[in-house]
Amino acid sequence: MDGARHPHRQPKRQLDSTILHFVSTDCFYASVFENETPALRSLPLAVQQKQIVVTCNYEARRRGLHKLQLIKDAKKTCPDVVIVLGEDLTRFRNASKELFNLLRSFSWNSRCERLGFDEVFMDVSDIVEHNLGLLNAHDLANSYFCLSKNDPTVGFTFDASELAGHTYPQPPNKELDASQDSLSLRLRLASHLARYLREQLESEKGYTCAVGISTNKLLAKLVGNLHKPNDQTTLLPPYSSEEDLDNVTSFMDGHEVGKIPGIGFKIANKLRAHVLQRPAEFDTALVYGGTKEDLLVADARRHPGMGPDMLEQLLSGPGTPHGIGPKIWGLLNGCDDAEVGQAREVPKQISIEDSYLRLDTLGEVIRELRMLAKSLLARLHTDLLDNDEETPAPDDVVPGPTTVPRRWLAYPKTIRLSTRPRPPDGSRNRSFARISRSAPMPNFVFSLKENKDTVSERLVTETLVPLFHKLHPEKSGWNLSLMNVAATNMADAASEKGGVGRDIGKMFKRQDDVLKQWRVEDTDVMEVEEKMEEVKAVLPAIPNGDKGGSEDLPTLSQEAKHSVNDQWESEDEDMADGDLFCCDQCGASMPSFAMVAHSRWHAQS
Ligand code: TTP
Ligand code: MG
């Protein structure tokens, strides 16, 4: 049975709302190094995190290297490979922001959303719609693409009789692209905008990327993969058809289910087990997410009885969101109603963490907290301070660039410390449960007069160590596999009444008034202060020095050691103040004090 021939089973595709681009930077981390040191471009270059090549440039790929390979294998395959360390993420984060900001500056509706470091979705419906109105159907070859709502002279000339870049499917000849229906024209306009934006990214910032053009995030992301690197692909209409397989269905059909964004590892395995009629026995044998058994979307879609109801039955259970069946059915059919998120000026929260093989003495904890506090403070300065000297606040008098005052764009109201204790029985079982405590972010953190080291030291002694004692009142007996320090509960300074945040001078005059209203009640303040004394007594005995903690086995996250989590677009709300936690192993939520017993239970069962 073919779903395409049974339109009642095919979810309705929204075609008129949005045109989206998905931009994925080529060999992102490697290009950041290449941009810093252009001589690297012609050499095989690999970026190392832990013992793994997280990415490599195309010269290295030509010589047989690939992403997520062990360093020692890479050296064997290509002995003259140049290896650079990519554990400090600062340069990548900064590059990512620059790329994002450039793209965002072209957006009219601010629907511009980062995914990870090197991917950006843009909803350009409004720009495209506007330009559709400007087209002269009798002279498409000499068209003008207007880039500014307010200034019709800002834009570029282009040939609207042709689509820019590649298409899916690849037409046998050019005539096939010449359709004049609204969807075809919109996608064609979007393809020219995409080409223009790619040229901008390359000429202004030195980065190349692959772009996908379609009507929703899912399709745009997937179709952009077809022509990499440094190219673009548009998913051509028809997007629906009563008789034949439409292009969306045939495009989706060729994908392995696990490759569909939104279908995670567990769901893909359940689908494979169900359709292939084999137990999902391979999940323990997986290496870095590679699968042994492939299930094409076409086979899943056509499987007898398959549809939203069957998927709901198959996939629903504890921890899965309501309506999982229709959602996954939609994805298999190329439907995705997720909107492109509105660009945020500041992240929702910033957190820094590190993992350890063994962390079980207060001395080591304090040393680690120092490192985390330093990194956190550096992140707050980079992400939340407006340092842009070219765009001073309107009230400021600017005799020279050095006198432009810096201002906070947002203030995190809360600081949170989380730890992940190992099961107390000393077993090697890994516990994923985190416990946390929060406190108001102290005002001195926002001072720009004090030296950063002094501020971070105060943060450790006056806030973090007392929080640590609240989490682990016992002097010893604990052993942590992770610590995370987060600045959360972000208050936007610009929206603060009276615009105080726009002027750092005024802010400090009114600092107490302003920050008072953000105070988060913490009933244990007394306890925190008592503990401070204890900490101060311990501190002088702890030498400054290299990191004492060791690390867990390599993880393949985008964030390396001292990983920073900038929540720019995540839906996760702060888990701060109620201190209610969700166990990552079974999904149960409970108050923090119950977590240790709960992880012990997991360790034993
Ligand atoms: P990708 O877009 O997967 O890789 P890439 O941009 O390097 O290469 P491609 O041209 O194939 O798109 O990931 C973006 C960056 O994220 C990458 O440069 C390095 C980093 N990264 C990790 O840190 N860990 C990982 O497991 C992967 C896959 C990537
Ligand atoms: Mg990439």
Side-chain angles (χ1 to χ4, degrees), residues 98-112:
E98 273 190 42
L99 299 183
F100 177 69
N101 285 339
L102 183 77
L103 289 173
R104 190 173 64 170
S105 70
F106 286 94
S107 176
W108 293 3
N109 55 16
S110 292
R111 295 213 166 273
C112 196

Side-chain angles (χ1 to χ4, degrees), residues 495-512:
S495 63
E496 206 276 321
K497 219 170 147 201
V500 170
R502 295 252 163 241
D503 181 329
I504 200 71
K506 274 188 226 150
M507 182 199 116
F508 273 102
K509 271 188 228 122
R510 287 191 49 204
Q511 166 169 282
D512 283 340

Side-chain angles (χ1 to χ4, degrees), residues 265-530:
F265 174 65
K266 279 189 190 156
I267 292 181
N269 259 357
K270 279 190 188 170
L271 287 172
R272 291 184 196 115
H274 178 78
V275 175
L276 302 171
Q277 298 288 304
R278 293 185 199 107
E281 67 204 7
F282 37 84
D283 54 356
T284 47
L286 283 176
V287 179
Y288 301 145
T291 52
K292 288 184 173 170
E293 310 235 14
D294 283 353
L295 170 64
L296 290 179
V297 168
D299 297 322
R301 194 172 61 73
R302 295 191 188 120
H303 190 70
M306 187 56 82
D309 300 337
M310 175 199 263
L311 286 168
E312 185 73 31
Q313 264 185 2
L314 183 70
L315 304 173
S316 66
T320 47
H322 182 67
I324 182 95
K327 181 169 168 33
I328 299 299
W329 180 241
L331 294 179
L332 294 175
N333 283 280
C335 298
D336 175 17
D337 54 14
E339 287 202 343
V340 177
Q342 199 90 25
R344 289 171 61 84
E345 242 193 290
V346 289
K348 276 187 180 171
Q349 69 167 35
I350 298 173
S351 76
I352 316 267
E353 67 185 35
D354 206 348
S355 52
Y356 314 96
L357 268 186
R358 179 158 206 93
L359 186 61
D360 56 1
T361 68
L362 188 58
E364 283 165 356
V365 163
I366 293 172
R367 190 162 54 192
E368 291 307 317
L369 287 176
R370 279 200 181 113
M371 315 272 288
L372 294 173
K374 256 189 181 171
S375 308
L376 183 72
L377 204 64
R379 291 312 311 157
L380 295 184
H381 279 237
T382 314
D383 284 358
L384 304 183
L385 267 180
D386 182 2
N387 282 324
D388 192 349
E389 294 181 353
E390 284 162 14
T391 54
D395 301 345
D396 298 324
V397 182
V398 194
T402 47
T403 61
V404 177
R406 293 183 296 167
R407 62 189 171 89
W408 290 95
L409 297 169
Y411 309 92
K413 294 186 277 182
T414 305
I415 181 158
R416 184 184 68 220
L417 174 68
S418 313
T419 64
R420 190 173 62 195
R422 285 189 188 285
D425 58 3
S427 75
R428 296 286 299 170
N429 278 355
R430 193 172 161 151
S431 162
F432 292 98
R434 293 182 184 203
I435 56 176
S436 313
R437 291 309 287 255
S438 306
M441 183 66 85
N443 294 353
F444 61 75
V445 164
F446 304 109
S447 162
L448 298 173
K449 288 190 198 120
E450 273 196 87
N451 174 295
K452 264 197 233 169
D453 287 345
T454 318
V455 174
S456 74
E457 194 59 30
R458 273 187 80 183
L459 193 62
V460 172
T461 52
E462 297 182 25
T463 311
L464 291 173
V465 176
L467 277 176
F468 182 83
H469 284 299
K470 288 168 82 180
L471 273 174
H472 299 281
E474 317 80 27
K475 281 218 160 69
S476 61
W478 33 260
N479 177 14
L480 311 175
S481 60
L482 175 139
M483 289 205 296
N484 173 303
V485 180
T488 72
N489 226 345
M490 210 63 83
D492 185 355
S495 63
E496 206 276 321
K497 219 170 147 201
V500 170
R502 295 252 163 241
D503 181 329
I504 200 71
K506 274 188 226 150
M507 182 199 116
F508 273 102
K509 271 188 228 122
R510 287 191 49 204
Q511 166 169 282
D512 283 340
D513 290 349
V514 175
L515 296 177
K516 211 183 292 163
Q517 59 186 318
W518 290 335
R519 288 211 178 279
V520 179
E521 288 308 316
D522 189 323
T523 48
D524 295 326
V525 173
M526 281 308 291
E527 191 192 331
V528 174
E529 296 193 337
E530 282 162 24

Side-chain angles (χ1 to χ4, degrees), residues 174 211 251 259 271 454 458 496 538 546:
K174 282 274 171 197
V211 180
F251 174 64
K259 292 273 163 27
L271 287 172
T454 318
R458 273 187 80 183
E496 206 276 321
V538 177
D546 286 346

